[in-house]
């Protein structure tokens, strides 16, 4: 299956480089580019990409404003932030606003192509250096309920709690299945049950909720 990709970034040289890299992949098709948020939204509506790589700092509409408008019209599109910003505040806000991923522009080619394929499958992709910042930010800005209280309120089982720990670490279903010694289909069922119990719509939202509510144990 071909993955259709749209690039939204105000630096033409960077877009050209990313496009050249991605077009080498037989399963990728870079269907369009945009130099700002408004143009990106128009192209997204016209081209219906599977994955959008979106910069944060652009003239006119910011990346976060563009993200919100994109997901209003295309809620199922996988929008992945690709930025130089390592600010935890921007990471947290992007995830709250519905971004499926947050990658840094110093990412290597193999990691970027792998992340795009994961995002196309609905899996969250967060740059490894940013995961610890996300956890630290939420711990510093929120007053989580005790783990037992939060878990009890959502009627989460012990196995679902195990799955949540893995989701916060950004693990794919395949990795979770291997680490927990269960079938990948079983992991998918658990994730769906967690989404339903917590009234959430994505794996990323589960991870954010878990950190905010003190459900994540990184020891």
């Amino acid at each position: 299956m071909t993955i259709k990709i749209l690039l939204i970034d105000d630096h033409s040289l960077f877009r050209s480089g990313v496009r050249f890299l991605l077009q080498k992949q037989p399963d990728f098709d870079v269907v369009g580019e945009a130099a700002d948020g408004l143009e990106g939204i128009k192209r997204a509506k016209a081209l219906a990409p599977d994955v959008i790589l979106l910069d944060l700092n652009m003239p006119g509409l910011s990346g976060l404003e563009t993200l919100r408008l994109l997901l209003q019209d295309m809620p199922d599109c996988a929008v992945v932030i690709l930025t130089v910003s390592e600010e935890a505040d921007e990471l947290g806000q992007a995830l709250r606003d519905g971004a499926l991923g947050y990658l840094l522009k110093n990412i290597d080619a193999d990691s970027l192509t792998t992340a795009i394929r994961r995002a196309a499958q609905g899996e969250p992709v967060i740059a490894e250096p940013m995961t610890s910042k996300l956890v630290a930010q939420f711990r510093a800005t929120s007053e989580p309920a005790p783990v037992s209280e939060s878990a009890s309120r959502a009627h989460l089982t012990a196995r679902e709690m195990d799955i949540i720990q893995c989701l916060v670490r950004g693990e794919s279903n395949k990795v979770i299945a291997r680490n927990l010694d269960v079938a990948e289909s079983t992991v998918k069922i658990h994730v769906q049950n967690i989404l339903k119990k917590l009234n959430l719509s994505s794996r990323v939202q589960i991870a954010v909720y878990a950190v905010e509510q003190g459900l994540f144990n990184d020891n």
Side-chain angles (χ1 to χ4, degrees), residues 9 13 24 27 34 51 61 63 66 70 80 89 93 99 121-123 129 139 148 150 155 171-172 178 190 206:
D9 193 295
L13 186 60
K24 289 184 176 181
D27 56 333
V51 177
L61 284 180
T66 302
L70 281 169
V80 176
D89 288 344
Q93 192 60 57
Q121 295 297 318
E123 297 184 17
R139 284 182 169 170
S148 58
S150 297
H155 304 292
E171 296 177 3
S172 66
R178 182 173 67 245
H190 281 308
I206 292 176

Side-chain angles (χ1 to χ4, degrees), residues 147-148 150-152 154-169 180 190 194 210 213-217:
V147 172
S148 58
S150 297
S152 176
H155 304 292
L156 296 169
T157 67
R159 178 55 83 189
E160 288 167 351
M161 289 291 294
D162 291 338
I163 298 289
I164 286 175
Q165 309 308 304
C166 298
L167 293 177
V168 175
R169 290 191 290 267
L180 298 182
H190 281 308
I194 294 168
Q213 296 297 316
L215 301 182
F216 178 55
N217 178 11

Side-chain angles (χ1 to χ4, degrees), residues 53-78:
L53 298 182
L54 174 64
D55 190 18
L56 278 183
N57 300 311
M58 298 184 294
L61 284 180
S62 71
L64 291 176
E65 290 170 327
T66 302
L67 169 65
R68 298 180 194 113
L69 292 172
L70 281 169
L71 293 179
Q72 281 181 12
D73 294 323
M74 308 175 66
D76 296 327
C77 184

Side-chain angles (χ1 to χ4, degrees), residues 15 19 31 54 56 66 76 79 92-93 98-99 110 115 117 128 139 168 183 199 201-202 218:
R15 292 198 314 271
R19 184 182 194 119
V31 295
L54 174 64
L56 278 183
T66 302
D76 296 327
V79 181
Q93 192 60 57
D110 288 342
R117 292 187 179 99
E128 187 173 344
R139 284 182 169 170
V168 175
N199 194 29
S201 58
S202 74
D218 59 353

